[in-house]
Amino acid sequence: MVDLLQLVFAGLSQGAVYALVAIGFVAIFTVSGVINLAQGEFAALGGLVAISAVGSGLPLLAAVVVAVATVAVVAVLMERLTIAPVKRMTTLVSLILTLGVSTGLKALMLLVYGPDAEGLTPINPGGFTVGGVSIRYQELWILAVAAVVSAAVYWFYERTLAGKALRACAEQPVAARLVGISLGRASLTAFLIAGCVGAIAGVMASPIYFTSWESGLTLGLKGFVAATLGGLVSVRGAVLGGLLLGVLENLTAGYVSTGLRDAVAFLLLIVVLVARPSGVFGRSAEARV
Amino acid sequence: MSLEVRGLAAGYGRLEVLHGVDLTAGDGRLVAVIGANGAGKTTLLRALSGLIPASGGTVTLAGADVTGSGPERLARAGLAHVPENRLVFPSLTVEDNLVLGAYTRRRGPAAERREARDRALALFPRLQPRLQQVAGTMSGGEQQMLAIARGLMAQPTVLVLDEPSVGLAPRLVGEIFTALGKLRDDGLTLVAVEQNARAAFAVADHVYVMDRGAVVLEGDAATLASDPRVTAAFLGGGLSGDTPDGPPTPGTAEAGQR
């Protein structure tokens, strides 16, 4: 029983990181139909920038702000330089473009930060034990920050005019343009959100899971699977998908074999793709009247 | 004049569907553009509001040349386009659809937006009890009313409508055209593209008849109503007489781009 609780708790905190990455996928996909393969790199870059900022003497909070701002700028530049100039975006073109950006970012991170994985200083080091379940403070921070960020993103889409405008672009791009919403600006906003959320995911994950130039690959993949579980169009679905994936991974690692941990994401992906492929690339029933 | 279109040409890719259309609307009149399926009516509106680029001609809105502007700019300049098939935002509530209709006015005073909303709801009282309902779950008629109300939220100087009556029960068609008549009486300039000629003639002040991407007849609604050439135009190819047996080619073009 203690084992189960321990695994579930560790899974939730890891899943919260996936959830944040997944929100980035959803933010971009709903507005522009682009599957951003550089989403994981946003997280890795966020972690690395924060680590080096702390290394150069900045306080932790300031380092986090610098990291999020840097990734936001990178995301915005990426949108302006690679996505916006394309007149007719197709899924294939978007995959090729974002894969290119992802590879470029990885190379750049390797050049600047070197090949070694490092961990950011945790906000409070250490942890405590409750009923046999050992809990690190950082895991609680991850859960808290993920909860606040998801709630904020959800609030943004549901309650603010800018958020509703983004949903309008996702559902009826023609009508959105006719009421005066610029699709280009919407796409830019979506990348900005994805950059910020991705950087936060990377910064929060770094103290426990470590960050290197290539950690974006795993994070991006897991985030994508989590987003896919929610049909790629729902923030709530992405969060639930992330948590589910994290818990399943940890249960598999604990009860079956640690070697199978990474297989869980692929298995889930296959199941989802077979069971409801339209939820992945189609705009599903939501966009139809 | 609020809206002046001179020699407007447009199409899809290399295919020209609209061949030099002239159209004038203003002074708070309701102008109807009628014609058979595929006559180029929708293309005319899409070119007017910048959804497709014009390959020739000019569009002047309230005295300013807006040729080549995108729909976002035209919306700001005072043109509201109620699109074909309504295109309400389906998963948003009726209220939020209206809020987004006033997107170009978002920096303006809130009182103005509230007033526009009150006027729109007074025009379509059926929307009032449905404000919190998700728009995609409403009937076609209610969605049409919402689409028009959303257009009005921008407080436009010209409202253009693409087939507001299509697919609706006759009673609802009457209701919607009565509302358009009221808007006209309030001084709004309207351009409605319609396939339902009877409904159009009942409220329009001025009628343009389109065939194969050009205006073939225009005049006062009262005068044109009894003109046998109008019926001929609807049967296709009756007016120009150059290809009496051929099918109207623009029709295939419009069907193909759906």
Side-chain angles (χ1 to χ4, degrees):
Chain A
M1 190 60 200
V2 170
D3 278 359
L4 181 68
L5 282 177
Q6 179 74 63
L7 290 169
V8 168
F9 179 76
L12 284 177
S13 92
Q14 198 164 8
V17 175
Y18 300 157
L20 288 178
V21 178
I23 289 175
F25 276 106
V26 169
I28 291 178
F29 180 76
T30 47
V31 168
S32 54
V34 167
I35 292 174
N36 176 26
L37 294 180
Q39 188 63 39
E41 275 61 49
F42 288 173
L45 182 63
L48 288 173
V49 171
I51 291 168
S52 82
V54 167
S56 66
L58 275 187
L60 188 58
L61 190 63
V64 171
V65 172
V66 169
V68 173
T70 308
V71 178
V73 169
V74 167
V76 163
L77 283 178
M78 171 183 176
E79 199 278 341
R80 281 295 101 168
L81 298 178
T82 65
I83 305 297
V86 179
K87 286 256 178 346
R88 227 162 232 275
M89 186 58 79
T90 64
T91 306
L92 182 65
V93 171
S94 81
L95 287 175
I96 294 170
L97 283 173
T98 58
L99 182 64
V101 173
S102 148
T103 312
L105 281 176
K106 269 196 231 120
L108 215 63
M109 286 189 278
L110 180 58
L111 272 176
V112 175
Y113 300 106
D116 299 327
E118 272 183 89
L120 182 68
T121 349
I123 302 169
N124 321 93
F128 56 93
T129 308
V130 180
V133 179
S134 81
I135 291 171
R136 279 177 282 190
Y137 290 119
Q138 183 65 26
E139 289 174 313
L140 291 179
W141 275 108
I142 292 177
L143 284 170
V145 168
V148 168
V149 170
S150 331
V153 170
Y154 190 74
W155 173 83
F156 172 76
Y157 280 110
E158 293 291 321
R159 293 271 177 267
T160 68
L161 182 67
K164 288 169 189 170
L166 288 189
R167 287 168 65 200
C169 291
E171 295 194 344
Q172 286 293 1
V174 170
R177 295 182 73 193
L178 288 177
V179 299
I181 301 166
S182 150
L183 296 189
R185 191 106 69 83
S187 166
L188 194 62
T189 314
F191 269 83
L192 183 65
I193 295 172
C196 292
V197 177
I200 294 172
V203 166
M204 294 316 292
S206 184
I208 297 185
Y209 310 108
F210 287 18
T211 319
S212 75
W213 63 282
E214 56 180 356
S215 48
L217 178 66
T218 330
L219 270 179
L221 183 87
K222 305 283 172 71
F224 175 70
V225 173
T228 309
L229 287 173
L232 261 176
V233 292
S234 143
V235 170
R236 213 180 326 180
V239 171
L240 292 177
L243 295 177
L244 179 70
L245 178 61
V247 170
L248 282 180
E249 274 189 347
N250 275 275
L251 290 179
T252 309
Y255 287 120
V256 188
S257 150
T258 9
L260 281 178
R261 173 190 283 273
D262 287 338
V264 172
F266 291 107
L267 274 174
L268 271 178
L269 187 60
I270 291 168
V271 170
V272 172
L273 284 175
V274 171
R276 29 167 330 203
S278 67
V280 184
F281 290 107
R283 292 225 152 169
S284 74
E286 214 178 314
R288 276 183 243 124
V289 188
Chain B
M1 284 298 159
S2 311
L3 181 70
E4 289 237 27
V5 179
R6 288 286 159 264
L8 187 64
Y12 304 97
R14 255 176 285 163
L15 182 76
E16 193 181 88
V17 175
L18 216 56
H19 319 289
V21 169
D22 292 339
L23 182 145
T24 305
D27 294 339
R29 291 200 305 169
L30 203 171
V31 171
V33 181
I34 62 172
N37 219 349
K41 306 184 299 293
T42 293
T43 308
L44 170 65
L45 289 200
R46 290 168 65 93
L48 259 184
S49 57
L51 283 174
I52 55 170
S55 50
T58 57
V59 180
T60 316
L61 183 66
D65 186 358
V66 291
T67 320
S69 305
E72 303 87 358
R73 229 199 99 199
L74 275 158
R76 257 178 284 137
L79 181 96
H81 180 156
V82 180
E84 193 180 18
N85 301 325
R86 300 136 201 160
L87 305 188
V88 296
F89 303 121
S91 86
L92 273 66
T93 61
V94 170
E95 178 82 65
D96 284 346
N97 269 269
L98 293 178
V99 165
L100 286 172
Y103 189 78
T104 53
R105 301 269 175 181
R106 63 191 183 283
R107 296 195 219 288
E112 243 178 46
R113 287 197 299 272
R114 213 172 310 124
E115 219 174 280
R117 176 181 174 278
D118 290 346
R119 274 200 305 269
L121 289 175
L123 192 66
F124 297 115
R126 279 163 181 265
L127 295 178
Q128 181 80 51
R130 304 205 179 271
L131 282 172
Q132 295 315 316
Q133 188 174 332
V134 171
T137 60
M138 296 202 303
S139 74
E142 288 159 347
Q143 290 193 16
Q144 185 63 61
M145 291 174 189
L146 175 58
I148 297 173
R150 182 181 65 187
L152 292 171
M153 288 296 291
Q155 302 160 50
T157 48
V158 178
L159 183 73
V160 304
L161 305 104
D162 198 344
E163 304 258 10
S165 80
V166 75
L168 302 186
R171 193 170 50 83
L172 284 171
V173 174
E175 219 171 290
I176 280 172
F177 273 87
T178 308
L180 297 185
K182 274 189 208 157
L183 290 171
R184 179 256 324 269
D185 296 342
D186 290 345
L188 183 65
T189 297
L190 295 110
V191 179
V193 149
E194 257 304 333
Q195 219 179 313
N196 184 341
R198 191 171 308 156
F201 271 111
V203 294
D205 303 297
H206 199 87
V207 174
Y208 289 81
V209 183
M210 282 188 75
D211 187 29
R212 293 181 233 175
V215 170
V216 290
L217 256 183
E218 68 150 309
D220 223 46
T223 342
L224 269 192
S226 51
D227 196 317
R229 290 178 299 170
V230 173
T231 330
F234 264 83
L235 296 175
L239 278 165
S240 35
D242 46 350
T243 51
D245 302 321
T249 37
T252 44
E254 231 176 35
Q257 76 91 28
R258 286 263 164 88

